[in-house]
Amino acid sequence: MQLKHLFLSAVLAAFSLPAFAAEQTATFSVPGMNCPSCPFIVQSAMSSVEGVQSVETSLEDRTARVVFDDALTATDAIALASTNAGYAAELIENNNDS
């Protein structure tokens, strides 16, 4: 009888697990970056979002490329972090890397 309960508990636990997270890569337009320190500020702001794994910024292109765990954050939260730091960010591309 206990074995039956353990099996049932295991089956129920398996169905209650969250979906597997996927690593995502998103590119943001950050037109307000116009000086050498701007990319560092944007990078710092976006990196502070839980789930962000890496941020690469380009002053020349005025973009930020972000790798993140989609189970922990979303592109809206990443853009908001940059905007709150004074640099409005708009999603221009989102690719699933997995």
Side-chain angles (χ1 to χ4, degrees), residues 33-98:
M33 290 194 298
N34 55 24
C35 73
S37 64
C38 295
F40 296 106
I41 296 168
V42 171
Q43 185 176 18
S44 177
M46 290 180 165
S47 294
S48 71
V49 176
E50 182 182 4
V52 170
Q53 298 168 356
S54 68
V55 179
E56 295 176 15
T57 53
S58 169
L59 177 58
E60 183 179 312
D61 298 332
R62 293 191 170 97
T63 59
R65 184 176 178 272
V66 181
V67 177
F68 65 98
D69 181 337
D70 70 353
L72 299 174
T73 194
T75 56
D76 290 345
I78 298 165
L80 181 60
S82 183
T83 299
N84 287 344
Y87 297 89
E90 180 181 339
L91 180 66
I92 55 176
E93 186 177 357
N94 189 8
N95 300 316
N96 183 350
D97 284 345
S98 54

Side-chain angles (χ1 to χ4, degrees), residues 7-30:
F7 176 75
L8 182 58
S9 295
V11 169
L12 291 175
F15 284 109
S16 66
L17 292 175
F20 288 101
E23 183 177 271
Q24 298 282 327
T25 301
T27 304
F28 296 86
S29 171
V30 190

